[in-house]
Amino acid sequence: MKNRTAITLFGGSGDLTYRKLLPAMYNLHVLGKLEDNFEIIGLGRRDYTTEDYIAIARNWMKEYSRKQYADETFNEFAKRITYFKIDISNVDEYARLQDFYTSKEISDHVYYYAVAPELFLTITEGLRKYCSQNKAKIIIEKPFGADLDDATKLNSKLEEFFGHDEIYHIDHYLGKEMIQNILSVRFNNAIFKGIWNKDFIESVQITVAEAVGVGTRAGYYDKSGATKDMVQNHLLQVLSIVAMEEPKDSSMDREQLELLKALKPVNKVEDILVMGQYDGYLQENNISENSKTETYVALKVEIENERWQGVPFFIRTGKKMATRESQVIVKFKAENSAPQNMLIIKVQPSEGIYLKFNAKKPGTDKELQEVSMDFCQSCILENRINTPEAYERLLDACFKGDRLLFSKWDQIVVSWNYINNILAKHKAIGSPIYTYEQNTMGPKEADKLTDWILDLE
Ligand code: BG6
């Protein structure tokens, strides 16, 4: 048998596949990073032929690929793609899938679980029953399970079947250029390294604002909500990178885990958490009547360790907000009552680092003015061209067997524990979900947590 490798996309006709996964692989193809005989198999229930599927993919690629779309290149790329119609919720259908693999002489597999978490176990069961002879890696999307119990059960099943080292928990925020850059900025600059602590920093804000609404993902999102969809994974991962100790080697697993373990357990949830739902959410397709799902969450997090004792970290995320903007804002303590220095790490859509500080106003004796240094990374064409998309970077890493940029199970457990506790308390005391207007920065009730900042320059 030839040694052919394939990635199988469970959820092959889903939003994630079209917007992120296929464009990421197109880019890898253009860069010559896919093996010659590498195949892409999209699974779905719809009655498509491979030609239909490729035609749909072509349009998405025109819109979403980082590398310039070109007919000729896409046609070459498309030779790698096959659509396979299957009901993935029916375990016995996996026998046909294995026959298909055998006919294609594929022996090395990457299975990508790009579907709602309820299907993870069934997929695993189907693969275990019919495809167990294959060598396989699994990439699994967040949220990993519906809660900690669910995640634990799922993890033990996956590990039992595939083995711990073959499971890649993807959190695409870890693949974002500016999130990676936080490490470089923090640990390679004396000017930041020495002051990255409670003596100099007053507070930190992390905002991930989205302009889009729930879109076509209502079935999944309405059961999940912003806390499980974004905070349990992306925002806590970002927070851990901003706040962790300096990694001792190329892996930051230990330091991230220690940081997550140091999150202060929440007592009075009403003092630290505000949830909201955008006006119009209940009218979106497939949202349950009277849904209490939050599309916005703002949270004050404290860290109980020597570096951060007493420094609040404010995190917020929401859909249908006034802008799409993700930033980490570090607010320094005031010196001599002068305006506070601020370091703004712009994650997306523009990427860069902005520093606000004080200087003398020219022509005056001592009068101060706030000035800035602005490094706009994405303003430079070469940077934009050379910056891989998060999914591109992570898929490439997985294909090479590099697990560094993937979430680790022990971190997932600690994050789930923290979030479960908050959600349970929020529910137990019947805390409200405030309605907020679309195109705003969320419910005004979140202002009680802090003066939120967002730099839109
Ligand atoms: C996903 C969430 O993980 O991240 C989505 O499920 C969200 O709800 C998306 O829209 C945001 O990702 P990005 O890269 O656009 O900030």
Side-chain angles (χ1 to χ4, degrees):
M1 190 186 266
K2 279 185 247 158
N3 209 21
R4 293 186 85 112
T5 307
I7 184 166
T8 299
L9 304 169
F10 290 87
S13 54
D15 200 60
L16 182 70
T17 294
Y18 290 140
R19 279 198 307 132
K20 303 280 190 189
L21 303 180
L22 287 176
M25 285 188 278
Y26 178 73
N27 297 334
L28 292 174
H29 168 87
V30 174
L31 292 167
K33 290 189 174 183
L34 294 183
E35 284 169 22
D36 286 348
N37 58 2
F38 184 89
E39 305 230 358
I40 300 167
I41 299 161
L43 304 189
R45 231 195 283 220
R46 288 168 212 214
D47 218 355
Y48 295 148
T49 60
T50 290
E51 288 67 38
D52 299 334
Y53 187 62
I54 288 173
I56 297 169
R58 183 189 296 274
N59 288 331
W60 287 88
M61 223 60 58
K62 286 181 184 165
E63 197 170 343
Y64 285 100
S65 72
R66 176 172 74 84
K67 292 283 172 194
Q68 176 103 42
Y69 171 86
D71 275 338
E72 212 177 307
T73 319
F74 180 81
N75 293 343
E76 275 305 305
F77 172 68
K79 290 183 188 155
R80 299 176 179 279
I81 301 178
T82 312
Y83 179 76
F84 188 82
K85 184 179 173 225
I86 180 173
D87 173 5
I88 58 171
S89 64
N90 178 353
V91 168
D92 287 326
E93 292 247 315
Y94 289 71
R96 275 199 312 114
L97 183 62
Q98 181 55 40
D99 289 345
F100 170 73
Y101 290 149
T102 309
S103 72
K104 288 249 184 191
E105 301 187 322
I106 299 165
S107 55
D108 286 11
H109 291 260
V110 178
Y111 298 121
Y112 199 118
Y113 288 26
V115 288
E118 299 89 87
L119 283 164
F120 289 177
L121 268 180
T122 317
I123 297 174
T124 308
E125 191 51 29
L127 292 174
R128 192 191 61 75
K129 199 161 169 197
Y130 293 105
C131 310
S132 59
Q133 63 272 50
N134 303 331
K135 197 167 151 224
K137 291 178 188 150
I138 314 300
I139 308 182
I140 194 148
E141 270 291 334
K142 41 97 335 222
F144 187 63
D147 55 30
L148 180 58
D149 273 358
D150 196 35
T152 309
K153 270 188 219 134
L154 187 59
N155 193 57
S156 61
K157 270 262 184 285
L158 282 168
E159 290 202 353
E160 185 191 317
F161 179 39
F162 296 109
H164 174 269
D165 290 347
E166 305 307 331
I167 301 166
Y168 293 72
H169 298 286
I170 198 162
D171 183 317
H172 75 283
Y173 269 62
L174 293 176
K176 287 190 188 279
E177 187 65 34
M178 287 307 293
I179 300 300
Q180 293 280 302
N181 204 350
I182 292 174
L183 297 167
S184 308
V185 170
R186 275 194 62 191
F187 300 120
N188 297 293
N189 293 298
I191 53 167
F192 297 128
K193 198 166 165 175
I195 56 171
W196 213 259
N197 57 50
K198 62 179 186 294
D199 297 335
F200 295 94
I201 292 178
E202 186 186 273
S203 65
V204 177
Q205 292 188 13
I206 302 175
T207 295
V208 175
E210 294 190 89
V212 293
V214 65
T216 53
R217 299 164 68 227
Y220 148 72
Y221 192 86
D222 201 36
K223 287 199 210 98
S224 171
T227 318
K228 291 181 182 177
D229 184 51
M230 296 293 288
V231 181
Q232 186 273 336
N233 33 76
H234 304 326
L235 278 104
L236 288 185
Q237 283 287 335
V238 174
L239 181 137
S240 66
I241 292 174
V242 171
M244 71 185 179
E245 297 302 310
E246 182 169 7
K248 300 205 171 36
D249 49 42
S250 60
S251 156
M252 55 186 182
D253 294 350
R254 201 175 322 116
E255 291 75 16
Q256 275 189 289
L257 178 64
E258 283 312 309
L259 193 282
L260 291 168
K261 280 184 178 165
L263 299 186
K264 185 172 171 188
V266 170
N267 280 324
K268 290 183 76 184
V269 78
E270 59 276 30
D271 292 345
I272 56 103
L273 176 71
V274 174
M275 286 186 177
Q277 187 185 78
Y278 63 80
D279 192 24
Y281 177 74
L282 296 178
Q283 285 73 52
E284 300 269 27
N285 282 340
N286 300 323
I287 296 297
S288 59
E289 209 184 329
N290 303 323
S291 166
K292 294 272 182 281
T293 298
E294 79 287 4
T295 61
Y296 171 97
V297 53
L299 179 66
K300 174 180 167 189
V301 178
E302 287 178 272
I303 299 169
E304 288 190 309
N305 68 14
E306 178 141 356
R307 183 183 291 275
W308 295 116
Q309 203 70 46
V311 180
F313 283 69
F314 299 99
I315 61 186
R316 64 175 167 166
T317 184
K319 293 205 184 283
K320 287 277 183 194
M321 291 176 75
T323 178
R324 173 175 185 250
E325 195 77 46
S326 296
Q327 293 183 355
V328 176
I329 300 188
V330 182
K331 209 169 163 187
F332 292 91
K333 290 188 169 167
E335 283 295 324
N336 305 322
S337 322
Q340 289 166 270
N341 301 156
M342 237 183 272
L343 177 73
I344 302 179
I345 302 174
K346 297 184 179 187
V347 176
Q348 64 185 28
S350 49
E351 297 177 343
I353 295 171
Y354 185 86
L355 183 66
K356 260 188 192 161
F357 58 103
N358 302 305
K360 189 173 81 63
K361 192 166 178 185
T364 68
D365 273 352
K366 282 190 185 153
E367 207 181 319
L368 288 180
Q369 62 174 350
E370 277 188 274
V371 294
S372 62
M373 289 184 183
D374 190 0
F375 164 55
C376 176
Q377 177 160 291
S378 52
C379 295
I380 302 164
L381 178 65
E382 197 189 340
N383 289 341
R384 285 204 303 279
I385 293 172
N386 289 333
T387 301
E389 292 287 341
Y391 276 97
E392 193 181 318
R393 176 178 269 138
L394 295 173
L395 282 172
D396 188 34
C398 168
F399 298 158
K400 291 179 178 142
D402 175 359
R403 296 163 54 82
L404 270 184
L405 291 179
F406 289 83
S407 300
K408 302 301 170 326
W409 171 241
D410 46 10
Q411 295 169 14
I412 295 174
V413 171
V414 179
S415 310
W416 262 130
N417 257 326
Y418 183 76
I419 291 300
N420 272 2
N421 173 35
I422 290 176
L423 287 176
K425 288 202 163 123
H426 186 264
K427 198 165 169 195
I429 60 168
S431 290
I433 310 273
Y434 300 103
T435 303
Y436 60 98
E437 293 293 315
Q438 296 189 15
N439 292 319
T440 64
M441 287 311 286
K444 59 183 180 333
E445 286 78 3
D447 295 348
K448 75 172 187 201
L449 297 181
T450 189
D451 286 334
W452 294 100
I453 308 162
L454 201 64
D455 191 279
L456 295 176
E457 282 165 36

